[in-house]
Amino acid sequence: MRIVISEFMDSPAVDTLRADFDVQYEPDLVDRREDLLRAVQSADALIVRNRTRVDAPLLAAAPKLKAVGRLGVGLDNIDMPACAARHIDVFPATGANARSVAEYVIATVLLLLRGAYHASAQVAAGDWPRNALSNGREANQRVLGIVGYGGIGRLVARLARGLDMRVIASDPILTAEDPAWREGLADRAELDDLLRQADAVTLHIPLTDETRGLLNAERLAGMKDGAILINTARGGIIDEAALANALRSGKLAGAAIDVFDKEPLAAGSALADVPNLILTPHIAGLTEEANTRVSDMTAQRVAHALRAN
């Protein structure tokens, strides 16, 4: 059986698959669409990250496809109804990069609250902006608002509680009786109430028709003055132009954005040259440890599916 891997995967996991399957591993195949369509013609399985579009043309080009492995958790690049119609199993690496994302969130919360880590060039040049950097904020007793209280959101809550933060969370899928709330890590709140109360807000929800543009200009205006915002979920959930305006006006004190409506982020976008804004290239879930966990889980699940067929 043949497996095509179109984006980066940890080498030991690739080698494990090669022991039992014919593997075509080309991490730049995602950028060569015609080559990718030719490659999947004889593929029994395809392994992707978030950039490979598993859409109708690709599925039409892959008549033998039985499984799609997703090196991550988001599924918005995969046509799930079309896969279901073809009885193609889709395997996300659920939970494998949760720790990496959660630590990214906590690190950026601390960095943005303190606001003291952007002066290296000034200090090295002989300036001494001590007074300007003496009014940073502690995480202790600050309110962290988590939008989306799944596995990653709950891990963020656990780490935040270790910093003595108060945690509130919003998740329309979880009823008030859901066992998640009985853990006592976070208090349940409606989204707009959460935005009004939270000193820091972090997003952990999928991109759907309901969540696209969820944090628009109106909702950003309803956030607590001086709050910070972190998005490691999906681009498109935040109105990027409205976020830029909220940062420039001082309504928000800072933001860290790891995901964008269009990736890579285009030069000259609305988020260019915005103060107190950290931009990272969709790497919150990527660490040495997470890459190993994600790759191993995906390899195991795809191999099991192929052997079962």
Side-chain angles (χ1 to χ4, degrees), residues 107-122 133 278:
T108 49
V109 165
L110 294 173
L111 188 153
L112 289 167
L113 284 175
R114 193 62 183 265
Y117 302 101
H118 302 291
S120 296
Q122 291 173 268
L133 300 178
I278 297 169

Side-chain angles (χ1 to χ4, degrees), residues 121-132:
Q122 291 173 268
V123 174
D127 293 334
W128 200 247
R130 191 165 186 265
N131 289 338

Side-chain angles (χ1 to χ4, degrees), residues 189-202:
E190 297 301 323
L191 176 61
D192 290 338
D193 290 335
L194 179 150
L195 296 176
R196 280 193 291 270
Q197 296 179 57
D199 298 289
V201 174
T202 178

Side-chain angles (χ1 to χ4, degrees), residues 50 100-101 103-105 107-109 111-112 118 229-235 240 243 255-266 269 271-272 274 276-287:
N50 66 300
S100 176
V101 175
E103 289 192 6
Y104 175 104
V105 170
T108 49
V109 165
L111 188 153
L112 289 167
H118 302 291
L229 177 62
I230 299 167
N231 187 14
T232 59
R234 279 293 178 270
E240 293 175 356
L243 173 62
I257 307 298
D258 185 56
V259 289
F260 306 92
D261 192 22
K262 294 183 179 178
E263 298 182 0
L265 185 66
S269 78
L271 297 177
V274 176
N276 301 317
L277 176 62
I278 297 169
L279 304 177
T280 53
H282 205 141
I283 49 78
L286 301 180
T287 58

Side-chain angles (χ1 to χ4, degrees), residues 167-234:
V167 182
I168 56 178
S170 169
D171 194 318
I173 296 176
L174 301 181
T175 66
E177 293 75 33
D178 193 280
W181 306 114
R182 292 201 291 270
E183 295 179 32
L185 294 172
D187 295 323
R188 186 171 180 266
E190 297 301 323
L191 176 61
D192 290 338
D193 290 335
L194 179 150
L195 296 176
R196 280 193 291 270
Q197 296 179 57
D199 298 289
V201 174
T202 178
L203 306 182
H204 301 286
I205 52 178
L207 179 65
T208 64
D209 291 341
E210 290 74 27
T211 63
R212 180 171 290 280
L214 183 69
L215 265 66
N216 54 20
E218 181 180 358
R219 280 212 166 92
L220 292 172
M223 290 181 65
K224 185 175 183 178
D225 289 347
I228 62 174
L229 177 62
I230 299 167
N231 187 14
T232 59
R234 279 293 178 270

